[in-house]
């Protein structure tokens, strides 16, 4: 397997040695190149410059940092650690459970630590540094001190490495119309989070509809919106939800009914499910329900749309909506961390109108009336004939 330095053009990596930890001791008589070794002021000793090691400071530390889309990896040639008598078992990140492993690549042994971005916080990554253009991930590879009795003689190695990505706070906004679920990929910083919306058959949220739901009027509709990838990195806030007669969420033709506005209830039947997961803006999964309805004019089928927002755990801006203040009526400013989900069609189960059965019943009733009137006319004619015959006989 060939060693590849997988560094994209738009990525920047920074590697910093702990200057008091990994500067090798060298021989003053051989310290002639000041770019490789540093002589003390009294010229009694010297140390290797950062990045060099060995008794002659003639070895260069081979360190590769790979800043990938989903993973951050540091690779250091084994010879560097062997010189300082550091075994692979003692190498780890700030969280000691995130340890190094030995891998041989193109016949060259390396000590490697590879973590996914969703492990960044748990492995002891530093708080993300952001500005308007970039976001930086900083980690530290360190060695556990080698204890001999009650003393430590070997130096501790500490290598800080940083991956800098462009801070693109954009959100992909496709409008997939899927009968049984809807999902969108939202990008916050350099992390791609997948958010999904689905409807469930009852309040247990254990069985999602696998086809277009058919729901009776006044029945409860159970909605779940959750982060299905990177759920440990982001909280989710449902800002707005509305129903339309059109599959296009922003189409003005037809009727529109708003269920949630600015994270707050806008329909009296809407209820957020109170669970241990947290309220709207406090967790990566949000559940709410409402009473099924239909629009007055056809078509009666409707589509559900929800605009959601990702909140990073270290974000200074509050994620939980303030629904008891007047702010709930204020328009939400444009937020590039928002994404849109659409679900449908949701079909309304409307019973057959009773007029059709009534028409069928009216047919025999009308026939009976016609027959009765016909018989009454015959009887009247017969009686009139009998009276005339009696009058003729009496003459």
């Amino acid at each position: 397997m060939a060693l590849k330095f997988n560094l994209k053009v738009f990525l920047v990596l920074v590697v910093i040695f702990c200057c008091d930890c990994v500067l090798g001791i060298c021989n003053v008589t051989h310290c002639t190149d000041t770019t490789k070794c540093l002589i003390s002021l009294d010229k009694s000793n010297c140390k290797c410059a950062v990045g060099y090691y060995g008794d002659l400071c003639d070895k260069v530390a081979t360190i590769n940092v790979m800043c990938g889309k989903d993973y951050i990896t540091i690779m250091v040639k084994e010879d560097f650690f062997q010189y300082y008598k550091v075994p692979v078992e003692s190498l780890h990140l700030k969280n000691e459970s995130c340890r190094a492993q030995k891998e041989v690549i193109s016949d060259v042994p390396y000590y490697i630590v590879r973590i996914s971005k969703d492990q960044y916080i748990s492995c002891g990554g530093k708080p993300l540094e952001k500005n308007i253009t970039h976001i930086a991930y900083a980690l530290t590879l360190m060695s556990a001190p080698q204890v001999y009795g009650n003393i430590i003689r070997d130096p501790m190695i500490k290598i800080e490495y940083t991956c800098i990505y462009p801070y693109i706070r954009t959100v992909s906004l496709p409008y997939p119309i899927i009968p049984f679920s809807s999902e969108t990929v939202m990008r916050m910083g350099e992390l791609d989070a997948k958010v999904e919306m689905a409807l469930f058959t009852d309040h247990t949220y254990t069985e999602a509809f696998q086809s277009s739901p058919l729901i009776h009027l006044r029945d409860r509709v159970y909605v779940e919106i959750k982060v299905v990838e990177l759920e440990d990195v982001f909280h989710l806030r449902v800002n707005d939800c509305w129903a339309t007669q059109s599959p296009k969420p922003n189409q003005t033709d037809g009727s529109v009914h708003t269920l949630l506005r600015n994270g707050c209830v806008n329909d009296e039947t809407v209820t957020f499910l109170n669970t241990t997961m947290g309220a709207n803006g406090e967790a990566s999964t949000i559940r709410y329900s409402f009473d099924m309805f239909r629009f007055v004019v056809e078509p009666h089928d409707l589509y559900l749309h929800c605009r959601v927002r990702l909140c990073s755990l270290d974000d200074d801006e509050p994620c939980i909506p303030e629904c008891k203040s007047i702010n709930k009526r204020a328009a939400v400013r444009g937020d590039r961390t928002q994404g849109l989900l659409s679900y449908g069609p949701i079909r309304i189960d409307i019973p057959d109108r009773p007029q059709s059965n009534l028409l069928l019943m009216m047919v025999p009733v009308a026939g009976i009336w016609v027959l009765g009137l016909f018989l009454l006319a015959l009887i009247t004619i017969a009686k009139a004939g009998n009276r005339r015959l009696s009058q003729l006989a009496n003459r």
Side-chain angles (χ1 to χ4, degrees):
M1 176 180 175
L3 174 62
K4 294 184 179 180
F5 192 63
N6 186 20
L7 183 62
K8 297 182 180 180
V9 176
F10 61 86
L11 302 181
V12 180
L13 66 88
V14 180
V15 178
I16 302 175
F17 287 91
C18 176
C19 297
D20 296 330
C21 301
V22 298
L23 293 177
I25 302 299
C26 56
N27 190 319
V28 175
T29 60
H30 294 95
C31 186
T32 58
D33 188 348
T34 57
T35 62
K36 295 182 179 180
C37 62
L38 306 173
I39 301 178
S40 63
L41 294 177
D42 60 4
K43 298 184 179 181
S44 62
N45 57 66
C46 66
K47 293 183 178 181
C48 295
V50 174
Y52 292 89
Y53 68 100
D55 295 336
L56 303 177
C57 295
D58 57 343
K59 296 183 178 182
V60 181
T62 303
I63 300 175
N64 292 335
V65 176
M66 287 164 281
C67 305
K69 177 182 177 182
D70 301 314
Y71 291 88
I72 298 176
T73 304
I74 184 170
M75 304 171 57
V76 185
K77 191 179 292 187
E78 181 186 47
D79 181 69
F80 172 79
F81 293 107
Q82 287 184 336
Y83 175 78
Y84 291 104
K85 299 179 182 179
V86 175
V88 67
E89 294 80 12
S90 70
L91 286 173
H92 55 80
L93 299 181
K94 191 172 182 180
N95 184 338
E96 295 187 8
S97 64
C98 303
R99 311 194 69 83
Q101 295 181 340
K102 179 179 178 179
E103 293 186 20
V104 178
I105 302 174
S106 298
D107 298 326
V108 178
Y110 288 85
Y111 292 170
I112 299 176
V113 177
R114 180 185 296 109
I115 65 166
S116 61
K117 283 186 176 180
D118 57 359
Q119 295 175 301
Y120 175 77
I121 300 297
S122 61
C123 282
K126 295 182 179 180
L128 296 177
E129 296 184 6
K130 310 172 188 176
N131 57 33
I132 61 174
T133 59
H134 291 83
I135 181 170
Y137 294 77
L139 294 156
T140 302
L141 178 64
M142 62 184 69
S143 62
Q146 302 296 306
V147 180
Y148 303 94
N150 61 348
I151 65 171
I152 298 173
R153 177 161 285 124
D154 296 323
M156 184 184 75
I157 291 179
K158 183 182 292 184
I159 303 174
E160 296 181 356
Y161 58 103
T162 302
C163 284
I164 301 176
Y165 298 86
Y167 190 25
I168 308 173
R169 292 177 68 96
T170 59
V171 180
S172 175
L173 297 177
Y175 301 148
I177 303 301
I178 307 173
F180 53 91
S181 70
S182 173
E183 65 181 29
T184 185
V185 176
M186 301 175 61
R187 170 166 291 186
M188 185 167 179
E190 188 59 25
L191 297 178
D192 290 335
K194 183 181 291 185
V195 182
E196 182 183 75
M197 177 167 64
L199 265 62
F200 286 77
T201 58
D202 57 36
H203 67 282
T204 64
Y205 286 87
T206 55
E207 183 180 353
F209 284 102
Q210 298 300 311
S211 61
S212 296
L214 182 64
I215 304 176
H216 295 276
L217 292 175
R218 281 289 179 183
D219 281 358
R220 296 297 287 177
V221 180
Y222 298 95
V223 184
E224 179 184 81
I225 305 175
K226 66 177 180 179
V227 182
V228 293
E229 289 185 9
L230 299 182
E231 64 274 13
D232 296 330
V233 178
F234 297 111
H235 282 169
L236 184 68
R237 166 174 163 168
V238 183
N239 271 340
D240 304 290
C241 287
W242 66 99
T244 65
Q245 292 178 296
S246 168
K248 297 181 180 180
N250 298 322
Q251 185 167 329
T252 56
D253 297 340
S255 300
V256 178
H257 178 67
T258 302
L259 297 166
L260 300 174
R261 189 189 303 275
N262 298 341
C264 304
V265 171
N266 194 72
D267 179 299
E268 62 181 7
T269 68
V270 171
T271 303
F272 282 97
L273 181 64
N274 294 323
T275 66
T276 56
M277 294 181 294
N280 189 14
E282 288 185 326
S284 59
T285 299
I286 305 299
R287 291 172 175 172
Y288 74 92
S289 62
F290 61 91
D291 285 353
M292 189 60 192
F293 61 91
R294 70 173 179 84
F295 292 110
V296 176
V297 297
E298 294 185 351
H300 297 313
D301 296 347
L302 57 87
Y303 296 84
L304 182 63
H305 315 281
C306 288
R307 186 176 288 110
V308 299
R309 173 187 160 199
L310 287 178
C311 305
S312 59
L313 302 185
D314 60 347
D315 201 338
D316 295 333
E317 185 177 352
C319 192
I320 302 173
E322 297 181 4
C323 295
K324 293 183 179 180
S325 67
I326 193 172
N327 291 334
K328 70 179 181 179
R329 300 186 182 93
V332 176
R333 292 177 298 176
D335 190 346
R336 299 176 65 189
T337 63
Q338 290 194 121
L340 184 63
L341 295 157
S342 296
Y343 183 105
I346 303 172
R347 305 189 184 281
I348 293 86
D349 189 7
I350 302 177
D352 292 335
R353 295 182 179 180
Q355 287 87 340
S356 58
N357 294 331
L358 181 60
L359 290 175
L360 293 176
M361 295 174 62
M362 288 177 64
V363 173
V365 172
I368 294 173
W369 275 101
V370 171
L371 180 60
L373 292 174
F374 179 72
L375 292 175
L376 181 60
L378 290 178
I379 294 172
T380 302
I381 293 172
K383 287 183 176 180
N386 289 334
R387 285 198 299 269
R388 187 173 182 180
L389 291 174
S390 298
Q391 292 174 356
L392 292 174
N394 292 330
R395 288 180 179 177

